[in-house]
Amino acid sequence: MHDRSQLASLLRCPACGGGAPARAGDAWQCPACATRFPEFDGVPWLFAAPEAALAEWRQRLHALLADLAREAVGLRAALERPALGVAARNRLKLQAAALEDHARRLVALLAPIGAEQGMATPEMYRALGTRIPGAQGLASYYVNLHRDWVWGAEENAAGLAALVAALGSAAPRRVLVLGAGAGRLVYDLQQRLRPALMVALDINPLYAFVARRIFDGERVSLYEFPIAPRDAESHAILRMLAAERPLDGGVEFVLADASHAPFAPGSFDAVITPWLIDIIDEDLASFAPRVNALLEPGGRWVNTGSLAFAQADPALRYTLEEVVDLVATSGFARPETSEQRIPYMCSPASRHGRVEAVVTFTAIKQCEAAPPTPHEQLPEWLVRTDLPVPALAAFQSDALTMRIYGYLATLIDGRNSIAEMARVVVSERLMTADAAEAAILGFVRRLYEDSRRRVHY
Ligand SMILES: C[S@@+](CC[C@H](N)C(=O)[O-])C[C@H]1O[C@@H](n2cnc3c(N)ncnc32)[C@H](O)[C@@H]1O
């Protein structure tokens, strides 16, 4: 087993913020609050609420598996259509078989987190949803795996060059990469800079498990499903993901939330955020002070990627000028920015591909920022499953909405027309006659469109 003392010396408990988690058998444990953090496939699981995060990622995997199974059934049903051409038949067969095999491969890769524990029906998963930042699905950035380890040499090199230029001539000693994804940038940076320690942190176990294996010299076979396949075979391509050579140590993988990074203040002299600040589920105004806190005085924050802020609140979708101002008011010297146009996700198997104007900046830590907002603690009734859940006004309103939704769905019984359903709703005094028919039409249409929406895996 490799020496974990460097990593251990930097850890700070993400649950209580007080103790320094230390090795305890095959896991880690905080001496202050006694929270136990498991380790899976050599990767410490350092979420603030480790059990809840585990349940959520399992649930996400199961929901994805349920979608894959549904999609495969749809493909096989399409095969039964009369007068289907030979080419279409072959394509559908290839896709169905690939999806089924893909599901098996995901289960094998995610076996360390108990992939097959506690399955429910697809409807149950859709109804429940999960609460790891909503946008972060298990396969949200799946194509990155193939870009990083199969066909993305030009894109990877361009991204690396921008970062190396931004880091400047002084080689960092302890580097933290937040949102490390499929890991190629970490691998290339480690080979190029040889810091004493490089920590690759991501929230998604699939990427950490695959990247760790590849770093160790393993080959991992996974399907690519291009957005705009060039030909029939390109609809699902089984690819071999591998590095040119194994990495001889120096990198630690950590599964955690970058908004609650499990490290003591001042742990790193460089923090890198590649393609993260605009997709993370936190306002940059509070995320920037968190990055500041992780750096030692004079440390560097190097950011690169798009600025397509995904926040629901329009006030938080910042321009580059606003980003620079926010960074400069978070304990950093005003950063210099540069912009490069680089190819992005140009798979040779796809007719789809982009060119992105990527923004890179380096910000030097000048002073401590005003402390970031403290970690938001989950209420006790969400941590302990034996306590009553309070009937919050928001919950009651949601429950009413769902009851109405459920009631309307029961009116779809194979006999009622939209006009008849509208009459029922009016007779139940749920709606006025002038509005009912259009509303029911909209509702049924939405259900229909949702049922035909393509699953993204
Ligand atoms: C757009 S991808 C970029 C991946 C990689 N940095 C690259 O450049 O290819 C964003 C990555 O951030 C990760 N991520 C999103 N939210 C995160 C969070 N709160 N904490 C840690 N990682 C997060 C995702 O799992 C994903 O791997």
Side-chain angles (χ1 to χ4, degrees):
M1 187 188 282
H2 75 272
D3 176 20
R4 317 301 290 281
S5 56
Q6 281 217 75
L7 176 70
S9 69
L10 304 179
L11 290 181
R12 175 65 57 90
C13 177
C16 70
R23 288 294 283 182
D26 55 1
W28 298 74
Q29 189 156 27
C30 172
C33 68
T35 303
R36 204 170 166 278
F37 302 96
E39 180 164 302
F40 299 122
D41 221 5
V43 184
W45 184 266
L46 292 164
F47 290 94
E51 286 303 320
L54 190 55
E56 290 204 14
W57 278 115
R58 277 186 194 141
Q59 194 174 332
R60 265 166 211 230
L61 170 64
H62 296 162
L64 176 63
L65 294 176
D67 277 343
L68 290 171
R70 200 162 51 98
E71 178 94 346
V73 166
L75 288 161
R76 295 214 181 274
L79 273 168
E80 303 301 318
R81 274 194 214 142
L84 197 66
V86 176
R89 178 171 299 281
N90 289 342
R91 169 170 53 77
L92 294 170
K93 271 195 203 156
L94 166 86
Q95 279 180 279
L99 285 188
E100 287 154 359
D101 193 24
H102 179 54
R104 285 190 288 274
R105 287 169 192 274
L106 291 180
V107 169
L109 281 167
L110 288 155
I113 63 164
E116 280 174 304
Q117 287 175 28
M119 305 279 258
T121 62
E123 290 73 21
M124 194 67 184
Y125 288 123
R126 252 180 286 148
L128 291 175
T130 52
R131 285 258 54 91
I132 293 269
Q136 301 308 316
L138 195 60
S140 292
Y141 305 101
Y142 179 75
V143 68
N144 286 20
L145 286 164
H146 293 91
R147 189 270 319 266
D148 280 17
W149 301 110
V150 183
W151 43 253
E154 188 189 351
E155 302 180 25
N156 298 334
L160 176 68
L163 254 180
V164 169
L167 272 163
S169 52
R173 291 162 286 117
R174 291 186 313 281
V175 183
L176 171 63
V177 181
L178 294 173
R184 181 62 194 228
L185 187 66
V186 171
Y187 176 91
D188 288 340
L189 277 175
Q190 177 66 16
Q191 303 233 76
R192 176 75 74 99
L193 305 173
R194 299 268 163 208
L197 177 67
M198 172 103 73
V199 179
L201 178 150
D202 205 278
I203 202 167
N204 187 326
L206 176 63
Y207 304 139
F209 292 167
V210 172
R212 195 204 57 72
R213 282 165 187 248
I214 290 175
F215 281 32
D216 281 356
E218 283 183 45
R219 292 159 179 274
V220 179
S221 296
L222 280 171
Y223 287 88
E224 182 187 349
F225 302 97
I227 293 179
R230 284 197 172 273
D231 48 32
E233 288 70 39
S234 303
H235 280 74
I237 312 164
L238 187 57
R239 299 215 187 259
M240 180 79 81
L241 282 61
E244 292 76 35
R245 65 187 77 85
L247 210 56
D248 51 358
V251 174
E252 290 279 3
F253 285 92
V254 162
L255 278 160
D257 185 341
S259 290
H260 309 294
F263 300 104
S267 287
F268 299 94
D269 60 347
V271 173
I272 299 175
T273 49
W275 298 82
L276 180 74
I277 60 171
D278 57 344
I279 60 97
I280 195 168
D281 195 35
E282 182 177 11
D283 180 5
L284 182 64
S286 57
F287 185 62
R290 289 191 204 288
V291 175
N292 175 289
L294 291 164
L295 283 164
E296 65 182 29
R300 285 164 284 177
W301 173 14
V302 183
N303 177 74
T304 188
S306 57
L307 294 180
F309 283 89
Q311 257 74 12
D313 179 349
L316 310 186
R317 297 182 209 142
Y318 302 113
T319 61
L320 175 57
E321 292 69 28
E322 291 171 278
V323 168
V324 167
D325 286 346
L326 274 174
V327 171
T329 51
S330 303
F332 293 97
R334 200 168 183 78
E336 288 296 319
T337 66
S338 66
E339 204 166 306
Q340 294 88 20
R341 288 176 69 76
I342 62 173
Y344 187 73
M345 301 301 171
C346 297
S347 167
S350 181
R351 293 204 171 83
H352 175 89
R354 312 200 308 247
V355 172
E356 291 256 349
V358 171
V359 172
T360 304
F361 67 73
T362 308
I364 309 285
K365 175 166 172 173
Q366 264 187 334
C367 58
E368 299 301 327
T373 42
H375 170 51
E376 194 186 309
Q377 295 288 349
L378 288 174
E380 199 57 11
W381 47 268
L382 263 177
V383 178
R384 284 182 44 194
T385 51
D386 58 332
L387 295 180
V389 177
L392 304 179
F395 288 0
Q396 289 178 327
S397 158
D398 277 353
L400 182 59
T401 309
M402 286 185 246
R403 273 206 297 278
I404 293 172
Y405 186 100
Y407 175 67
L408 294 179
T410 61
L411 294 179
I412 304 175
D413 60 358
R415 293 186 300 273
N416 280 333
S417 66
I418 284 167
E420 279 159 345
M421 289 166 67
R423 275 197 289 280
V424 175
V425 167
V426 172
S427 70
E428 297 280 342
R429 296 178 190 281
L430 289 169
M431 239 176 200
T432 54
D434 55 335
E437 197 162 302
I440 296 292
L441 178 62
F443 171 76
V444 177
R445 189 170 154 177
R446 218 169 36 250
L447 282 187
Y448 176 67
E449 284 168 358
D450 282 356
S451 76
R452 293 167 62 90
R453 190 156 291 149
R454 210 176 145 201
V455 182
H456 289 285
Y457 32 82

